[in-house]
Amino acid sequence: MIVTTTPSVEGKHIDAYLGIVFGEVISGVDFIKDFAAGLSNFFGGRSGSYEEELISARKQALQEMEHRAASLGANAVIGVDIDYEVLGSNNGMLMVTASGTAVRVS
């Protein structure tokens, strides 16, 4: 599956536009990760636990988007955009959404 942020695939012809596809992941941060991130915030530096959670959520959202595109018969997704939001009463949830246009290219 070709996945690109561009509106086309260089060297390929778009044969069919199959629709907009999404992949959504809502991920909670547990107490341990929150505590470790708080220490990083206090002492400075990067929060490895939050970064790992973000990377994992982004990969899952992209995989879900690709799966939905494949179920439509697509072999590429163009114009991909990834959005991030924090949710919940204490901002303890992370939502990652990947979206794009499923296409068939040759």
Side-chain angles (χ1 to χ4, degrees):
M1 174 83 52
I2 299 168
V3 177
T4 180
T5 59
T6 60
S8 62
V9 179
E10 188 173 338
K12 302 282 186 180
H13 178 265
I14 296 176
D15 297 323
Y17 290 87
L18 304 171
I20 298 171
V21 288
F22 296 89
E24 303 92 357
V25 172
I26 298 177
S27 179
V29 180
D30 63 28
F31 173 76
I32 303 297
K33 289 181 183 177
D34 204 28
F35 180 74
L39 291 175
S40 294
N41 189 36
F42 182 76
F43 292 109
R46 295 169 62 167
S47 172
S49 58
Y50 277 176
E51 287 178 5
E52 288 173 19
E53 191 67 37
L54 180 62
I55 290 166
S56 175
R58 182 176 53 238
K59 285 181 181 179
Q60 290 174 29
L62 285 166
Q63 288 172 347
E64 184 175 317
M65 180 192 68
E66 289 179 42
H67 176 73
R68 290 179 177 167
S71 72
L72 295 174
N75 61 356
V77 182
I78 60 173
V80 173
D81 181 50
I82 300 174
D83 292 311
Y84 304 90
E85 292 284 332
V86 283
L87 306 170
S89 59
N90 296 328
N91 292 330
M93 304 291 283
L94 171 67
M95 179 174 72
V96 180
T97 305
S99 60
T101 302
V103 296
R104 195 173 313 112
V105 297
S106 59

PDB file of all heavy atoms in Angstrom, residues 69-86:
ATOM      1  N   ALA A  69      -8.792   1.359   3.543  1.00  0.00           N
ATOM      2  CA  ALA A  69      -8.587   1.629   2.116  1.00  0.00           C
ATOM      3  C   ALA A  69      -8.519   0.329   1.332  1.00  0.00           C
ATOM      4  O   ALA A  69      -9.130   0.200   0.266  1.00  0.00           O
ATOM      5  CB  ALA A  69      -7.320   2.447   1.915  1.00  0.00           C
ATOM      6  N   ALA A  70      -7.793  -0.651   1.856  1.00  0.00           N
ATOM      7  CA  ALA A  70      -7.673  -1.947   1.179  1.00  0.00           C
ATOM      8  C   ALA A  70      -9.032  -2.622   1.051  1.00  0.00           C
ATOM      9  O   ALA A  70      -9.315  -3.272   0.031  1.00  0.00           O
ATOM     10  CB  ALA A  70      -6.695  -2.844   1.937  1.00  0.00           C
ATOM     11  N   SER A  71      -9.887  -2.462   2.053  1.00  0.00           N
ATOM     12  CA  SER A  71     -11.214  -3.090   1.988  1.00  0.00           C
ATOM     13  C   SER A  71     -12.082  -2.465   0.896  1.00  0.00           C
ATOM     14  O   SER A  71     -13.042  -3.082   0.451  1.00  0.00           O
ATOM     15  CB  SER A  71     -11.923  -3.002   3.346  1.00  0.00           C
ATOM     16  OG  SER A  71     -12.330  -1.681   3.622  1.00  0.00           O
ATOM     17  N   LEU A  72     -11.714  -1.266   0.446  1.00  0.00           N
ATOM     18  CA  LEU A  72     -12.419  -0.625  -0.672  1.00  0.00           C
ATOM     19  C   LEU A  72     -11.803  -1.001  -2.019  1.00  0.00           C
ATOM     20  O   LEU A  72     -12.300  -0.589  -3.068  1.00  0.00           O
ATOM     21  CB  LEU A  72     -12.384   0.903  -0.516  1.00  0.00           C
ATOM     22  CG  LEU A  72     -13.121   1.496   0.670  1.00  0.00           C
ATOM     23  CD1 LEU A  72     -12.862   3.005   0.741  1.00  0.00           C
ATOM     24  CD2 LEU A  72     -14.611   1.224   0.577  1.00  0.00           C
ATOM     25  N   GLY A  73     -10.697  -1.752  -2.003  1.00  0.00           N
ATOM     26  CA  GLY A  73     -10.014  -2.121  -3.235  1.00  0.00           C
ATOM     27  C   GLY A  73      -8.892  -1.176  -3.615  1.00  0.00           C
ATOM     28  O   GLY A  73      -8.376  -1.233  -4.733  1.00  0.00           O
ATOM     29  N   ALA A  74      -8.478  -0.321  -2.711  1.00  0.00           N
ATOM     30  CA  ALA A  74      -7.420   0.645  -2.992  1.00  0.00           C
ATOM     31  C   ALA A  74      -6.050   0.001  -2.856  1.00  0.00           C
ATOM     32  O   ALA A  74      -5.861  -0.943  -2.093  1.00  0.00           O
ATOM     33  CB  ALA A  74      -7.525   1.829  -2.035  1.00  0.00           C
ATOM     34  N   ASN A  75      -5.094   0.552  -3.602  1.00  0.00           N
ATOM     35  CA  ASN A  75      -3.702   0.159  -3.405  1.00  0.00           C
ATOM     36  C   ASN A  75      -2.840   1.364  -3.039  1.00  0.00           C
ATOM     37  O   ASN A  75      -1.618   1.284  -3.005  1.00  0.00           O
ATOM     38  CB  ASN A  75      -3.138  -0.575  -4.626  1.00  0.00           C
ATOM     39  CG  ASN A  75      -3.142   0.272  -5.887  1.00  0.00           C
ATOM     40  OD1 ASN A  75      -3.630   1.399  -5.897  1.00  0.00           O
ATOM     41  ND2 ASN A  75      -2.600  -0.285  -6.956  1.00  0.00           N
ATOM     42  N   ALA A  76      -3.508   2.498  -2.757  1.00  0.00           N
ATOM     43  CA  ALA A  76      -2.800   3.703  -2.314  1.00  0.00           C
ATOM     44  C   ALA A  76      -3.773   4.612  -1.567  1.00  0.00           C
ATOM     45  O   ALA A  76      -4.992   4.550  -1.770  1.00  0.00           O
ATOM     46  CB  ALA A  76      -2.200   4.443  -3.509  1.00  0.00           C
ATOM     47  N   VAL A  77      -3.193   5.441  -0.698  1.00  0.00           N
ATOM     48  CA  VAL A  77      -3.954   6.492  -0.021  1.00  0.00           C
ATOM     49  C   VAL A  77      -3.165   7.778  -0.226  1.00  0.00           C
ATOM     50  O   VAL A  77      -1.974   7.854   0.090  1.00  0.00           O
ATOM     51  CB  VAL A  77      -4.131   6.224   1.489  1.00  0.00           C
ATOM     52  CG1 VAL A  77      -4.967   7.325   2.130  1.00  0.00           C
ATOM     53  CG2 VAL A  77      -4.756   4.864   1.734  1.00  0.00           C
ATOM     54  N   ILE A  78      -3.830   8.780  -0.798  1.00  0.00           N
ATOM     55  CA  ILE A  78      -3.168  10.057  -1.076  1.00  0.00           C
ATOM     56  C   ILE A  78      -3.730  11.156  -0.177  1.00  0.00           C
ATOM     57  O   ILE A  78      -4.796  11.008   0.410  1.00  0.00           O
ATOM     58  CB  ILE A  78      -3.323  10.444  -2.567  1.00  0.00           C
ATOM     59  CG1 ILE A  78      -4.801  10.584  -2.953  1.00  0.00           C
ATOM     60  CG2 ILE A  78      -2.609   9.423  -3.467  1.00  0.00           C
ATOM     61  CD1 ILE A  78      -5.033  11.136  -4.351  1.00  0.00           C
ATOM     62  N   GLY A  79      -2.987  12.257  -0.092  1.00  0.00           N
ATOM     63  CA  GLY A  79      -3.440  13.408   0.676  1.00  0.00           C
ATOM     64  C   GLY A  79      -3.586  13.108   2.162  1.00  0.00           C
ATOM     65  O   GLY A  79      -4.470  13.650   2.822  1.00  0.00           O
ATOM     66  N   VAL A  80      -2.716  12.268   2.703  1.00  0.00           N
ATOM     67  CA  VAL A  80      -2.846  11.838   4.098  1.00  0.00           C
ATOM     68  C   VAL A  80      -2.555  12.991   5.052  1.00  0.00           C
ATOM     69  O   VAL A  80      -1.616  13.765   4.872  1.00  0.00           O
ATOM     70  CB  VAL A  80      -1.903  10.650   4.390  1.00  0.00           C
ATOM     71  CG1 VAL A  80      -1.884  10.303   5.858  1.00  0.00           C
ATOM     72  CG2 VAL A  80      -2.326   9.446   3.558  1.00  0.00           C
ATOM     73  N   ASP A  81      -3.395  13.078   6.072  1.00  0.00           N
ATOM     74  CA  ASP A  81      -3.251  14.079   7.132  1.00  0.00           C
ATOM     75  C   ASP A  81      -3.391  13.357   8.469  1.00  0.00           C
ATOM     76  O   ASP A  81      -4.234  12.463   8.601  1.00  0.00           O
ATOM     77  CB  ASP A  81      -4.332  15.150   6.995  1.00  0.00           C
ATOM     78  CG  ASP A  81      -4.218  16.226   8.054  1.00  0.00           C
ATOM     79  OD1 ASP A  81      -3.113  16.765   8.236  1.00  0.00           O
ATOM     80  OD2 ASP A  81      -5.239  16.522   8.710  1.00  0.00           O
ATOM     81  N   ILE A  82      -2.576  13.743   9.427  1.00  0.00           N
ATOM     82  CA  ILE A  82      -2.646  13.155  10.761  1.00  0.00           C
ATOM     83  C   ILE A  82      -2.927  14.268  11.752  1.00  0.00           C
ATOM     84  O   ILE A  82      -2.257  15.301  11.748  1.00  0.00           O
ATOM     85  CB  ILE A  82      -1.334  12.434  11.132  1.00  0.00           C
ATOM     86  CG1 ILE A  82      -1.060  11.321  10.127  1.00  0.00           C
ATOM     87  CG2 ILE A  82      -1.399  11.886  12.551  1.00  0.00           C
ATOM     88  CD1 ILE A  82       0.272  10.636  10.304  1.00  0.00           C
ATOM     89  N   ASP A  83      -3.964  14.062  12.577  1.00  0.00           N
ATOM     90  CA  ASP A  83      -4.355  15.043  13.586  1.00  0.00           C
ATOM     91  C   ASP A  83      -4.234  14.437  14.970  1.00  0.00           C
ATOM     92  O   ASP A  83      -4.453  13.237  15.162  1.00  0.00           O
ATOM     93  CB  ASP A  83      -5.808  15.499  13.363  1.00  0.00           C
ATOM     94  CG  ASP A  83      -5.961  16.319  12.100  1.00  0.00           C
ATOM     95  OD1 ASP A  83      -5.159  17.249  11.911  1.00  0.00           O
ATOM     96  OD2 ASP A  83      -6.866  16.018  11.312  1.00  0.00           O
ATOM     97  N   TYR A  84      -3.932  15.291  15.940  1.00  0.00           N
ATOM     98  CA  TYR A  84      -3.774  14.881  17.335  1.00  0.00           C
ATOM     99  C   TYR A  84      -4.674  15.729  18.217  1.00  0.00           C
ATOM    100  O   TYR A  84      -4.790  16.931  18.008  1.00  0.00           O
ATOM    101  CB  TYR A  84      -2.325  15.088  17.798  1.00  0.00           C
ATOM    102  CG  TYR A  84      -1.310  14.392  16.940  1.00  0.00           C
ATOM    103  CD1 TYR A  84      -0.741  15.030  15.838  1.00  0.00           C
ATOM    104  CD2 TYR A  84      -0.912  13.099  17.217  1.00  0.00           C
ATOM    105  CE1 TYR A  84       0.195  14.395  15.051  1.00  0.00           C
ATOM    106  CE2 TYR A  84       0.020  12.450  16.430  1.00  0.00           C
ATOM    107  CZ  TYR A  84       0.574  13.108  15.346  1.00  0.00           C
ATOM    108  OH  TYR A  84       1.496  12.474  14.567  1.00  0.00           O
ATOM    109  N   GLU A  85      -5.302  15.111  19.197  1.00  0.00           N
ATOM    110  CA  GLU A  85      -6.140  15.811  20.172  1.00  0.00           C
ATOM    111  C   GLU A  85      -5.934  15.181  21.533  1.00  0.00           C
ATOM    112  O   GLU A  85      -5.652  13.990  21.630  1.00  0.00           O
ATOM    113  CB  GLU A  85      -7.626  15.684  19.818  1.00  0.00           C
ATOM    114  CG  GLU A  85      -8.063  16.403  18.577  1.00  0.00           C
ATOM    115  CD  GLU A  85      -8.182  17.902  18.759  1.00  0.00           C
ATOM    116  OE1 GLU A  85      -8.446  18.355  19.889  1.00  0.00           O
ATOM    117  OE2 GLU A  85      -7.979  18.606  17.763  1.00  0.00           O
ATOM    118  N   VAL A  86      -6.092  15.968  22.588  1.00  0.00           N
ATOM    119  CA  VAL A  86      -6.143  15.405  23.933  1.00  0.00           C
ATOM    120  C   VAL A  86      -7.583  15.495  24.402  1.00  0.00           C
ATOM    121  O   VAL A  86      -8.284  16.474  24.138  1.00  0.00           O
ATOM    122  CB  VAL A  86      -5.193  16.122  24.919  1.00  0.00           C
ATOM    123  CG1 VAL A  86      -3.773  15.698  24.694  1.00  0.00           C
ATOM    124  CG2 VAL A  86      -5.315  17.618  24.820  1.00  0.00           C
TER     125      VAL A  86
END
